[in-house]
Amino acid sequence: MRVPLPAAMITTSMFDMNLLPCMPAIINQRLRWLALAAKLSACAWLLALSGCSLVVSGYNNAPNLFMFLWLNPHLDLNAAQEKQALADLQHVLEWHRREQLPLYAKWLSQAQQLAPDDVSADQVCALIDEAADSLEPLLTQFEEPTARLGLSLTPKQLQVLRKKYTEDLKDYRKEWKLDSSKQAQLEVQTDKGQENAERFYGRLSPAQKKLLTQLAQNPSHPRGRSGSAHSSQRQISVAKDIHARKEKGDFSRGGFGCV
């Protein structure tokens, strides 16, 4: 299969380069419960692609993995909170298996049918757009569990959360060289974009690498590092806002963790 460039490469590389690395900036607005959405989708794609027992095990144990890798390190949950969070995550996993795994099977079947021949940019972009659109219903499944967990957090847990957010932001700024020169930032954006694109397309040509550089230089590019940095910094204010609202007893729907 040959994929037309640059149109299809722009769509898929921007989806990969823009959505996945900036997921922390998006999901931190909901206390990063939504981090599981991207990981769940990735596991499901792998599950659909292969019958590997390791992948199947990882998908089926996603709630426990997320609890171990993110929730407890960031919040230090007590036994009651952990039990409720695991139950909520298991509910989301069951919904995902029922509602979204069939979508992945359909997309893979469509891709298989396209593979023997050359494909158009519109065909590739349509598959990518449909996959991207499937994330919103998944994120919606996390809204009620997020609010429930947020309302149960203690001042001490919020302090832990603020500390971890500060550490995460520091690591993020270092990885993307946000405190370095504009040229250094451009280079890291281009390198990561190339790495992501080559996972999908194979080795890129000099012209295609130049295109990625132009995308990174575009001020309207949705993956702008400064915007993501500001979003990451808002993580800390989210935790502070939650604490203030808990003190005042002011928790209106939609006001929790959505900045």
Side-chain angles (χ1 to χ4, degrees):
M1 174 177 68
R2 289 191 302 164
V3 180
L5 296 173
M9 190 186 78
I10 292 175
T11 300
T12 51
S13 64
M14 286 182 68
F15 174 77
D16 200 20
M17 180 169 60
N18 299 343
L19 177 61
L20 298 183
C22 75
M23 281 301 289
I26 299 171
I27 58 189
N28 278 332
Q29 297 176 10
R30 304 182 188 183
L31 289 184
R32 271 199 182 174
W33 263 75
L34 307 186
L36 187 60
K39 295 174 182 177
L40 199 61
S41 295
C43 287
W45 270 103
L46 291 173
L47 179 64
L49 284 167
S50 73
C52 174
S53 59
L54 181 61
V55 173
V56 173
S57 177
Y59 178 80
N60 290 335
N61 287 285
N64 289 294
L65 290 173
F66 187 55
M67 178 69 68
F68 175 75
L69 295 174
W70 200 92
L71 278 181
N72 264 332
H74 281 76
L75 294 171
D76 192 20
L77 301 181
N78 59 40
Q81 290 171 324
E82 184 171 326
K83 181 179 179 180
Q84 181 63 58
L86 282 173
D88 286 336
L89 290 170
Q90 187 62 40
H91 178 77
V92 173
L93 179 64
E94 291 170 359
W95 174 89
H96 185 270
R97 182 184 287 112
R98 182 178 66 253
E99 300 294 334
Q100 295 210 314
L101 278 185
L103 295 177
Y104 301 155
K106 182 190 74 170
W107 299 331
L108 290 170
S109 176
Q110 291 173 343
Q112 185 178 37
Q113 293 173 13
L114 294 174
D117 304 310
D118 293 346
V119 297
S120 69
D122 287 343
Q123 288 173 314
V124 175
C125 295
L127 284 175
I128 296 298
D129 289 343
E130 192 172 349
D133 289 343
S134 73
L135 282 176
E136 185 59 33
L138 178 56
L139 298 181
T140 300
Q141 295 298 311
F142 286 93
E143 290 180 352
E144 183 177 338
T146 300
R148 180 163 39 245
L149 177 60
L151 289 169
S152 74
L153 296 179
T154 66
K156 184 177 179 180
Q157 288 173 324
L158 291 171
Q159 290 175 0
V160 173
L161 181 63
R162 285 197 294 269
K163 181 180 178 181
K164 291 298 294 184
Y165 273 165
T166 301
E167 294 172 356
D168 290 347
L169 178 59
K170 182 178 179 180
D171 292 340
Y172 182 87
R173 296 188 68 86
K174 181 179 179 181
E175 179 183 0
W176 290 95
K177 299 185 178 180
L178 297 184
D179 298 316
S180 302
S181 66
K182 294 292 185 181
Q183 182 60 35
Q185 294 177 37
L186 176 61
E187 289 173 359
V188 72
Q189 290 176 54
T190 303
D191 289 345
K192 288 182 179 291
Q194 178 180 336
E195 180 182 347
N196 290 335
E198 287 185 340
R199 290 195 191 103
F200 189 85
Y201 293 105
R203 187 174 297 277
L204 301 184
S205 69
Q208 293 161 355
K209 294 177 184 178
K210 182 178 179 180
L211 176 62
L212 286 179
T213 301
Q214 292 172 348
L215 284 172
Q217 289 175 315
N218 185 352
S220 64
H221 196 283
R223 185 64 189 109
R225 297 265 67 74
S226 59
S228 296
H230 291 317
S231 184
S232 296
Q233 289 173 322
R234 287 199 297 270
Q235 303 165 20
I236 302 170
S237 68
V238 167
K240 293 179 180 178
D241 180 63
I242 295 169
H243 191 188
R245 286 172 181 267
K246 284 177 69 68
E247 290 291 319
K248 297 177 181 179
D250 176 21
F251 271 96
S252 58
R253 178 174 174 83
F256 167 68
C258 298
V259 294

